[in-house]
Amino acid sequence: MAFPYKHFLVVGATAGIGKALAARLVESGAKVTVVGRRQERLDEFVQTVGAEHAKGERFDIGELAQIPDFVERVMKESPDIDSIVLNAGVQNTYDLADLDKFNLPAFLEEVKINFSSFVSLTHAFLPYLQKNPDPTSFIFTGSNLAIVPAASLPAYSASKAALNVFTLCLREQLRHSNTKVIEISPPPVQTELHDYMGEEAGRQLGMPLDTFTEQVYQGLAEGSDQIVIGSIGPADTFNGIVNNRRSAFENLSKIMRGGKP
């Protein structure tokens, strides 16, 4: 591997992007610990790639209060884990103008899964990564909708926008540490995420999963800390927004720390 991490913990690895990326990492020679809610899918993954390469950990990241105990147990069992891949996500449509049908609890639950759980997991894993003298990393799966939101997906778009801001701030605050902060920004990808559209239609939406996974892997192998795949609208315009925004953020960060490195 061109990147320095040897044991990845992959959250949301029972389907879609998480499962595909975990399999690609195993193919590269890494060990993986796959995390998800569905035990049978975890068992199937481990059986497919081999127990010498992977282990499964059943956990629901929506149980925020249980995260510290989960992380303590996992790191005690596998202290060599050096990269945390935070990938799980929920996506549903909401009509904010239809007050009779708008499901506020579901909206807030989606934000919790897509954003708050990632913050809680980062907080719990960070002390372990910081104690590791070797290079470590957090890898977050965000979305291009963090930059250009979809009006019909307000919870998903807002949660991914919040996650994008969180990764920028975390990367800045960890700039002198051994822990790298990497953000993957996908376009629509052909996964179960879009099953609310109907399984057949939803899983045909977007980039083929294997194509996307290989592009992500190449970005990781090249050492990129911001892996933007695809675009919303013209690529030059979209990437210009992303790059200019990051430049403005870094300039502001430098000002706020008094010009210090």
Side-chain angles (χ1 to χ4, degrees), residues 205-228:
L205 176 66
M207 179 181 287
L209 181 57
D210 56 349
T211 302
F212 169 79
T213 303
E214 191 58 33
Q215 289 187 30
V216 170
Y217 178 81
Q218 291 303 318
L220 293 173
E222 291 167 5
S224 302
D225 66 5
Q226 182 174 272
I227 304 170
V228 180

Side-chain angles (χ1 to χ4, degrees), residues 37 43 46 54 94 99 103 105 113 132 135 141 154 166 169 181 187 217 220-221 223 226-227 240-241 245 247 253:
R37 293 179 294 113
D43 293 342
V46 173
Y94 296 93
L99 301 181
N103 189 335
I113 296 299
N132 190 329
T141 299
F166 179 73
C169 295
V181 178
Y217 178 81
L220 293 173
Q226 182 174 272
I227 304 170
I241 293 171
R245 183 167 175 268
S247 178
S253 297

Side-chain angles (χ1 to χ4, degrees), residues 2-247:
F3 41 91
Y5 319 114
K6 303 299 187 290
H7 189 165
F8 294 80
L9 180 139
V10 184
V11 172
T14 56
I17 290 173
K19 180 180 179 181
L21 182 56
R24 183 64 181 86
L25 291 169
V26 168
E27 183 183 333
S28 77
K31 293 169 58 180
V32 298
T33 293
V34 289
V35 179
R37 293 179 294 113
R38 292 171 283 193
Q39 185 66 54
E40 69 280 2
R41 291 197 177 190
L42 296 172
D43 293 342
E44 180 185 8
F45 181 89
V46 173
Q47 183 176 10
T48 299
V49 304
E52 68 275 23
H53 303 298
K55 64 181 296 187
E57 292 284 352
R58 184 180 179 278
F59 186 67
D60 182 352
I61 63 171
E63 301 293 335
L64 301 187
Q66 304 304 316
I67 285 176
D69 289 342
F70 164 72
V71 170
E72 181 179 15
R73 175 174 60 79
V74 166
M75 294 305 296
K76 190 172 185 178
E77 292 174 357
S78 302
D80 62 330
I81 289 173
D82 52 7
S83 183
I84 310 300
V85 183
L86 299 176
N87 167 79
V90 179
Q91 184 182 99
N92 290 291
T93 58
Y94 296 93
D95 185 347
L96 302 176
D98 190 339
L99 301 181
D100 292 330
K101 294 183 179 179
F102 174 55
N103 189 335
L104 179 60
F107 185 102
L108 296 176
E109 180 69 14
E110 187 166 328
V111 172
K112 181 180 79 170
I113 296 299
N114 294 350
F115 176 63
S116 300
S117 67
F118 284 19
V119 175
S120 297
L121 286 161
T122 301
H123 180 263
F125 276 113
L126 183 57
Y128 295 95
L129 297 191
Q130 293 282 268
K131 290 176 185 175
N132 190 329
D134 298 320
T136 60
S137 68
F138 286 105
I139 302 173
F140 297 89
T141 299
S143 172
N144 289 352
L145 295 179
I147 306 303
V148 180
S152 61
L153 303 171
Y156 187 83
S157 299
S159 61
K160 292 299 185 178
L163 182 62
N164 172 253
V165 170
F166 179 73
T167 60
L168 286 168
C169 295
L170 182 66
R171 185 185 293 122
E172 163 68 14
Q173 294 188 17
L174 296 180
R175 67 189 182 281
H176 294 312
S177 77
N178 66 326
T179 302
K180 188 172 185 176
V181 178
I182 302 165
E183 182 184 18
I184 302 166
S185 186
V189 179
Q190 295 174 3
T191 70
E192 295 178 10
L193 182 68
H194 309 117
D195 277 1
Y196 63 88
M197 301 172 60
E199 185 172 318
E200 184 174 354
R203 297 190 191 183
Q204 295 301 312
L205 176 66
M207 179 181 287
L209 181 57
D210 56 349
T211 302
F212 169 79
T213 303
E214 191 58 33
Q215 289 187 30
V216 170
Y217 178 81
Q218 291 303 318
L220 293 173
E222 291 167 5
S224 302
D225 66 5
Q226 182 174 272
I227 304 170
V228 180
I229 298 174
S231 65
I232 298 176
D236 288 347
T237 301
F238 183 79
N239 291 328
I241 293 171
V242 173
N243 294 333
N244 289 336
R245 183 167 175 268
R246 179 162 180 179
S247 178

